[in-house]
Amino acid sequence: MPAIVKLQLSLETLAEAISSLDLTEKRQLQELIEQQIFEDEEALYEDDAETLAEIEAVRAEYKDGEFVTIDQYLANRSQQR
């Protein structure tokens, strides 16, 4: 089991540490940060009442036939020819 170490660094110290990385390491760090941002934003959306209400409204519109998927559109279009 890997050891977990939690550090408290100033943003300036962190920036200095990042500056010392080579390009490959910086890209790895960037990928890690972007993935964590994506996961955090996704969690916010899943818990946001307004977003959930919008999703349910769109689902109801699809169910009521107000919208069609791209696959349905293409199928209907090819049948009309």
Side-chain angles (χ1 to χ4, degrees):
M1 178 175 185
I4 297 175
V5 178
K6 293 188 178 192
L7 299 173
Q8 289 188 341
L9 303 172
S10 69
L11 190 55
E12 181 180 313
T13 302
L14 180 59
E16 289 173 11
I18 292 169
S19 294
S20 70
L21 300 174
D22 66 31
L23 185 57
T24 301
E25 292 168 327
K26 287 177 183 174
R27 286 188 176 139
Q28 290 173 342
L29 180 59
Q30 179 183 15
E31 289 176 20
L32 175 68
I33 291 171
E34 287 176 351
Q35 180 62 36
Q36 289 184 5
I37 289 171
F38 174 79
E39 290 171 4
D40 289 349
E41 287 176 342
E42 189 173 299
L44 285 175
Y45 292 137
E46 290 173 355
D47 295 336
D48 181 55
E50 185 177 329
T51 301
L52 293 174
E54 289 176 13
I55 291 169
E56 289 304 315
V58 170
R59 285 182 179 155
E61 290 171 350
Y62 271 99
K63 185 178 177 184
D64 294 341
E66 295 180 38
F67 292 96
V68 295
T69 66
I70 190 69
D71 292 334
Q72 292 168 328
Y73 170 78
L74 293 174
N76 290 340
R77 186 172 170 211
S78 67
Q79 289 175 357
Q80 293 174 355
R81 290 181 180 187

